[in-house]
Amino acid sequence: MARVRVRQHVNPLSKKYQEIISPPNWEKIYSNLQQPLHLDIGCARGRFLLKMAREQPDWNFLGLEIRDPLVEEANRIRDELGLTNLHYLFSNVNIDLDSLLSSLPLQVLQWVSIQFPDPWFKKRHAKRRTVQPELVATLAQHLPSGAHIFLQSDVEWLALEMRDRVAAHPSFRGTHPQLWLPENPLLVPTEREIATHNQGDPVYRCLFVKPD
Ligand SMILES: C[S@@+](CC[C@H](N)C(=O)[O-])C[C@H]1O[C@@H](n2cnc3c(N)ncnc32)[C@H](O)[C@@H]1O
């Protein structure tokens, strides 16, 4: 597969990423829109979702990514493979998520994963991090009971920050409060997860559910 050359990071607070995108016509995207949906936030090249979509045809998969060239390339590969349960969308999730989730049928969104989001290490860049309290509130508003949020990172303090922000919302309950998950419940590793594993570094994971 050809790899597209793209910028390593973009600033989600910059002016060009503040416009809310219009949700697509989901009926035209998924062959069965009523299947449960797994949303992967910050999907990059989308290889994790590609594998998930092939292994689980009775689920739909949606990847949101702010670097547009990656989205175009991922959708091109999806089309080549003829997958009708997978879509990638250009989005700044900190701007678009509410409008996108409002446009989906009720109850379909069952899993959300946020995997190895950019840490933006400097304190003055903290607002660029993906898991902001507002994003957690948007997820709480749209996820149905029984839905899961899965988080992982190789940066422990970032994993803690994400975990604390989700745990602080009354809508979510951690499956292993105060503990990291011993393994990835999704079985398919992301590209960043594979690289971390190959370096012998630890991964910090947690899982939340929205109780009935
Ligand atoms: C470090 S990469 C991890 C990619 C993949 N999840 C993995 O584990 O291999 C983080 C991704 O999140 C994307 N991203 C960062 N902020 C975003 C935002 N506000 N909205 C959508 N995508 C974002 C970045 O462009 C990047 O592709």
Side-chain angles (χ1 to χ4, degrees):
M1 291 178 189
R3 284 176 82 90
V4 186
R5 282 186 73 84
V6 283
R7 293 180 60 185
Q8 250 200 320
H9 295 289
V10 300
N11 174 3
L13 302 183
S14 79
K15 210 171 156 202
K16 67 190 237 200
Y17 298 116
Q18 303 314 303
E19 204 175 311
I20 299 181
I21 57 161
S22 305
N25 181 347
W26 301 112
E27 292 279 0
K28 287 195 173 152
I29 283 177
Y30 296 112
S31 59
N32 179 359
L33 184 53
Q34 296 310 320
Q35 295 193 146
L37 176 72
H38 179 142
L39 168 67
D40 190 44
I41 289 179
C43 64
R45 293 179 194 276
R47 301 299 194 263
F48 156 77
L49 284 184
L50 195 66
K51 201 153 183 218
M52 292 287 282
R54 295 175 98 174
E55 288 186 5
Q56 298 186 26
D58 51 350
W59 278 69
N60 290 331
F61 295 88
L62 175 64
L64 300 181
E65 171 54 50
I66 200 167
R67 290 181 293 164
D68 206 14
L70 298 186
V71 173
E72 284 177 25
E73 175 71 355
N75 278 327
R76 191 189 61 70
I77 294 167
R78 181 271 323 265
D79 288 344
E80 267 176 25
L81 295 171
L83 293 167
T84 59
N85 65 333
L86 173 62
H87 191 64
Y88 303 95
L89 208 57
F90 163 74
S91 162
N92 177 355
V93 293
N94 298 107
I95 295 290
D96 298 322
L97 197 63
D98 180 52
S99 133
L100 287 175
L101 299 188
S102 301
S103 68
L104 286 166
L106 292 174
Q107 306 293 326
V108 294
L109 183 58
Q110 292 294 326
W111 267 83
V112 176
S113 48
I114 307 176
Q115 306 183 82
F116 302 85
D118 300 325
W120 291 110
F121 289 102
K122 292 179 183 158
K123 206 171 168 189
R124 67 189 161 89
H125 291 157
K127 274 283 174 196
R128 300 181 186 184
R129 291 179 203 139
T130 304
V131 182
Q132 300 292 336
E134 296 81 1
L135 182 117
V136 178
T138 302
L139 290 174
Q141 193 189 329
H142 292 285
L143 288 183
S145 301
H148 288 82
I149 301 178
F150 174 56
L151 307 168
Q152 56 174 343
S153 176
D154 52 337
V155 181
E156 188 174 14
W157 64 261
L158 178 67
L160 266 172
E161 181 182 273
M162 298 195 292
R163 188 175 82 182
D164 287 350
R165 286 181 174 174
V166 179
H169 200 287
S171 292
F172 298 114
R173 197 190 62 218
T175 62
H176 295 60
Q178 312 301 326
L179 292 176
W180 298 119
L181 282 189
E183 56 191 34
N184 184 342
L186 293 174
L187 302 177
V188 175
T190 71
E191 288 185 80
R192 186 58 186 262
E193 186 175 352
I194 293 167
T196 304
H197 180 74
N198 289 346
Q199 283 169 1
D201 291 334
V203 174
Y204 305 93
R205 307 181 171 98
C206 52
L207 183 64
F208 287 86
V209 66
K210 188 171 182 191
D212 290 337

